[in-house]
Amino acid sequence: MTLQDGDLQNRIRFERKTMARDPLGGQDKPVWAEVVSVWAKATNNLAATTEAVAAGADRYREQVRFDIRPRQVDPQWRIVFRGCVFDIKSIAPSNDRSEMAIIAVAGLTNG
């Protein structure tokens, strides 16, 4: 199935960890810097969330599938979507290479 322009309704931001120089001469600190912002189709995997809530979990991990146009994406990057940080778990191009699916999970790390 080909990704249509009308499907791309969510703006996501890819970020990578870089080292920022301390202006006062202290140790360099890791910070997240924007790589690129793209349009994506976001599909929430509600089954995993529903199971966690039904089991009485206080915290759960939200899993989302992002479908985007093909581009270079490093699995070490993260995605920021609607103010929430998602760790990239898998990246898979379609068979015809016209799109790519990224599975990402929120709540694994604090940045």
Side-chain angles (χ1 to χ4, degrees):
M1 186 168 106
T2 303
L3 194 60
Q4 302 296 317
D5 289 338
D7 295 335
L8 305 173
Q9 297 182 358
N10 300 286
R11 197 76 173 157
I12 63 172
R13 184 173 70 234
F14 288 100
E15 295 181 343
R16 72 171 160 229
K17 192 177 278 191
T18 61
M19 297 302 283
R21 189 166 215 177
D22 186 340
L24 300 176
Q27 287 186 338
D28 291 349
K29 297 184 180 184
V31 295
W32 288 95
E34 181 175 340
V35 177
V36 68
S37 185
V38 299
W39 289 101
K41 175 182 177 184
T43 307
N44 194 341
N45 184 351
L46 295 176
T49 303
T50 303
E51 288 175 15
V53 172
D58 292 333
R59 298 180 67 194
Y60 59 88
R61 297 179 186 122
E62 181 182 6
Q63 181 174 309
V64 177
R65 174 184 166 154
F66 296 101
D67 294 308
I68 64 171
R69 300 276 185 232
R71 68 178 321 105
Q72 189 71 22
V73 176
D74 187 329
Q76 298 299 315
W77 295 351
R78 70 181 189 179
I79 295 173
V80 179
F81 173 58
R82 294 183 181 162
C84 191
V85 175
F86 289 82
D87 295 317
I88 297 173
K89 292 296 152 198
S90 69
I91 302 168
S94 63
N95 289 338
D96 65 358
R97 306 246 185 240
S98 65
E99 60 189 76
M100 58 192 307
I102 299 172
I103 303 297
V105 179
L108 292 180
T109 62
N110 292 328

